Amino acid sequence: MALKIDDQPARIWVPVWVRNIIGGSSIMIDDAIVQNALLDADIIEAHNVAFERAIIEMKTTWKVDPKKYRCSAAKAAAHSLPRDLDGAGRAIGLAVQKDKEGYFLMRKMCKPTIGGKWIQDRDSLIRLCKYCMQDVEAEYALSEALRDLSDTELQVWQTDQEINRRGIRVDVELARTAVQLVADYEARVLAEFKCLTGFDSPRQVPLMVRWLKLQGAKINDVTKATVTKLLAHPAVPPNVKRVLEIRQSLGKSSLAKLRAFIDAANADGRVRDTMMYHGASTGRWSGKRIQPHNFPRESLPNCDDFLAMVRARDIDSIEILYGDLMLALSKSLRSFIKAESGCELVCADFNAIEGRVLAWLAREDYVLENYRQKRDAYCVFAEQIQGGKFSYKEILEGHRAGDKKYSAMRFEGKTGELACGYQGGEAAVKRFAPDMPLERRMEIVAIWRKNRPKTVAFWREIEIMVKSAIARPGKLISNGMIAWGFDSKFLRCRLPSGRLISYYGPWLSEEGQIKFWGVNSTTKQWEANETYGGKLTENVVQAISRDLLAAAIMRLEKAGKPVVMHVHDEVISEVPKGSTSIDEYIEIVTALPAWAKGLPMAAEGFITERYHK
């Protein structure tokens, strides 16, 4: 373990057996120096410090105050830099960077060779020590180059660390039974598949494509979209339909998720470290390990009955009552998360938070009033699309009654609301409604923009503000709610909460486009990015929505309702049974911070022993 105290050179601690091999040195420190340094320090910082904290707590008896910990990885993420030490250092051109050759040596030394021996020769051990000290110097250099988290944001990060350590209870035994059930099911359907096709598995893609072509299918792949389209065709032969169904069923990620539940759980049945602080450049969290942010959208009704059948490994009953086993398991995955004995999960989900924040930022007063009156936003816009032919009340009541005509109207309203808020055009509408004719898509965009003049103006305003800030470094550009400034390295936006979001090294292209360096959300590579008014609006809205969630988490913690997980705009606490009501919980969640005056907030929630949607 390397240690750097203040700006002194890094020094190294090694076990006695290593010292015996490489010999003593002035750069080596003993247990007492390490212990005194950690206990006396005001701040203890590392890159991904949760690892160091875990080692200290598991391998020593030292009582280190957790409030002392800081994390240079969290700081890098808060500046929209790559989270890894090497990537962050290279992105901002630090003189001191991670030792990549030493990294590869460390990876080799962490594992035995093929013959079962460990690399422990003197030269390798000395090189490893140098690598460790270089890492600490690189971490220090990165931290010194970046602003510290604000006091408020530091508290959010510290709370995030405690939530991750608290973890969430998983039904490990049920997950193991489900894995066994899936194995039984796979054996059965693979035997059926081979009988139908003559080869072993639908995962043998070239053979699958060739077989389907021989059956008359005009395809070149068996992607999810292609299989779904083929299954919807009324003339597909029964044998082809069944083969496609098996391919679709075995393509579900249910088994991987179930295994993740098992592998990630500690001895007490709780999965920890599932939330990634500042996982997105806007500050929003992302998921880790069991990936709670990417559960399937749909949830299974009557989940208790289904889970009882899983426990009994009763495939026949499941298929009769629920259809495909893998699809049913996929819809039930949330229910493998549960409360401890004697406790319950309390869940609250912000209602249309981004739509509310967008209208609040743009000062679109009539939209805000609709939210205050609890009017269905999708039906409101559906009425505007209909141009007065059908009233809001007719559409809402018809939709609730299950009338397909009115539900189709509401769907158009929903599509427009979801697609158009961030300057989306007909292509954005197409992503939500791929079968909608081009002319109708263009009409919906035009109607939305006509009815949201202040939002359209806000897109232009925010783009002009950013261009002005880039062109005039050191000048603060503000509209009273948000402010932009460029310090020659980072373009920063100050949100209403006071938190900053950052864009590294921005510039204006010859065509006047806004460019900056950032992590591509798709490729995960550090590269030049382009942005514009609508995208900047999306960033700001999502960042404010995140700050509202963070404020709610802090209030819940203070109120003694410990948070165990949060997913997108939903927060989940684990409390003793009967210790709170859902109304009390929602009241805490939706309380307005002082900086959000005038923003209409709402949330829906429930109390349960097993998590669901």
Side-chain angles (χ1 to χ4, degrees), residues 452-577:
R452 297 292 183 89
K454 292 184 178 180
T455 305
V456 173
F458 184 77
W459 300 334
R460 293 194 293 265
E461 178 187 29
I462 199 170
E463 186 167 324
I464 291 168
M465 289 172 71
V466 167
K467 288 181 176 180
S468 298
I470 295 172
R472 302 161 70 188
K475 179 74 174 178
L476 194 66
I477 312 296
S478 174
N479 70 354
M481 292 188 80
I482 57 173
W484 296 85
F486 179 37
D487 65 3
S488 78
K489 287 187 177 180
F490 288 95
L491 170 72
R492 292 188 172 92
C493 176
R494 187 183 67 212
L495 303 168
S497 66
R499 185 170 68 90
L500 303 175
I501 55 174
S502 302
Y503 302 77
Y504 184 70
W507 74 97
L508 299 177
S509 70
E510 292 182 2
E511 296 80 17
Q513 297 165 323
I514 302 168
K515 304 271 193 172
F516 67 97
W517 290 96
V519 178
N520 184 302
S521 60
T522 303
T523 66
K524 306 303 180 185
Q525 298 299 307
W526 180 254
E527 58 189 46
N529 289 263
E530 181 181 324
T531 192
Y532 56 94
K535 186 67 176 176
L536 290 162
T537 300
E538 180 182 35
N539 291 168
V540 171
V541 168
Q542 289 190 356
I544 293 171
S545 301
R546 177 271 191 192
D547 288 348
L548 291 166
L549 175 65
I553 290 169
M554 300 301 285
R555 289 193 299 271
L556 289 167
E557 291 285 322
K558 189 175 180 180
K561 304 184 191 308
V563 176
V564 291
M565 190 170 71
H566 46 93
V567 182
H568 302 302
D569 300 315
E570 181 184 27
V571 61
I572 302 104
S573 292
E574 186 177 38
V575 301
K577 284 186 178 180

Side-chain angles (χ1 to χ4, degrees), residues 49-227:
V49 74
F51 175 78
E52 278 76 7
R53 180 179 174 183
I55 295 296
I56 290 167
E57 293 182 359
M58 293 177 68
K59 295 297 181 182
T60 77
T61 58
W62 308 336
K63 303 298 181 185
V64 178
D65 181 358
K67 295 294 184 184
K68 291 182 177 184
Y69 289 111
R70 305 289 188 274
C71 183
S72 51
K75 195 188 289 191
H79 283 77
S80 300
L81 297 173
R83 196 176 207 95
D84 65 291
L85 180 60
D86 180 49
R90 284 188 291 107
I92 60 176
L94 287 179
V96 182
Q97 293 190 16
K98 188 176 180 71
D99 175 0
K100 295 178 76 171
E101 288 184 8
Y103 170 78
F104 291 121
L105 174 64
M106 178 273 291
R107 297 286 293 176
K108 287 182 180 179
M109 294 179 73
C110 281
K111 304 169 186 175
T113 63
I114 295 174
K117 296 182 179 180
W118 295 84
I119 300 173
Q120 295 179 348
D121 61 278
R122 184 174 186 274
D123 289 346
S124 295
L125 288 168
I126 290 173
R127 184 70 179 84
L128 183 68
C129 290
K130 290 179 179 179
Y131 160 73
C132 191
M133 290 188 290
Q134 174 73 6
D135 248 21
V136 170
E137 295 288 1
E139 292 171 17
Y140 180 81
L142 176 64
S143 183
E144 287 292 291
L146 303 175
R147 292 184 184 182
D148 289 334
L149 300 180
S150 68
D151 290 345
T152 300
E153 194 59 21
L154 176 61
Q155 291 175 21
V156 172
W157 175 78
Q158 289 173 335
T159 302
D160 165 80
Q161 297 299 288
E162 295 311 312
I163 292 170
N164 271 313
R165 290 169 62 78
R166 193 176 288 149
I168 188 84
R169 183 79 159 87
V170 169
D171 195 333
V172 178
E173 287 308 311
L174 182 62
R176 289 196 178 107
T177 301
V179 167
Q180 294 169 352
L181 184 68
V182 169
D184 295 343
Y185 171 79
E186 282 193 338
R188 192 167 84 177
V189 297
L190 285 174
E192 181 185 359
F193 181 87
K194 187 169 185 178
C195 185
L196 288 166
T197 65
F199 56 97
D200 293 330
S201 169
R203 297 184 180 96
Q204 295 173 282
V205 173
L207 291 176
M208 180 92 177
V209 171
R210 189 186 310 159
W211 184 85
L212 287 168
K213 283 182 175 180
L214 288 173
Q215 309 307 309
K218 296 179 181 180
I219 57 148
N220 294 310
D221 60 65
V222 282
T223 61
K224 180 180 178 180
T226 300
V227 170

Side-chain angles (χ1 to χ4, degrees), residues 210-278:
R210 189 186 310 159
W211 184 85
L212 287 168
K213 283 182 175 180
L214 288 173
Q215 309 307 309
K218 296 179 181 180
I219 57 148
N220 294 310
D221 60 65
V222 282
T223 61
K224 180 180 178 180
T226 300
V227 170
T228 301
K229 188 174 181 180
L230 272 173
L231 281 170
H233 199 287
V236 63
N239 65 324
V240 173
K241 182 178 181 182
R242 182 57 187 151
V243 165
L244 291 172
E245 286 173 344
I246 292 172
R247 162 81 184 179
Q248 191 178 60
S249 177
L250 296 184
K252 294 292 179 186
S253 61
S254 311
L255 186 58
K257 216 48 147 175
L258 290 167
R259 285 179 173 154
F261 286 147
I262 297 165
D263 294 341
N266 294 133
D268 61 358
R270 298 185 78 86
V271 175
R272 293 173 171 82
D273 201 30
T274 62
M275 302 285 110
M276 174 72 82
Y277 169 82
H278 227 291

Side-chain angles (χ1 to χ4, degrees), residues 2-11 136-137 140-141:
L3 197 68
K4 183 178 178 69
I5 301 174
D6 298 326
D7 58 356
Q8 299 172 22
R11 292 187 286 172
V136 170
E137 295 288 1
Y140 180 81

Side-chain angles (χ1 to χ4, degrees), residues 430-444:
K430 186 177 182 179
R431 285 196 292 272
F432 291 94
D435 297 326
M436 187 181 289
L438 172 62
E439 186 177 342
R440 188 58 168 172
R441 298 199 305 268
M442 294 176 67
E443 188 178 3
I444 286 174

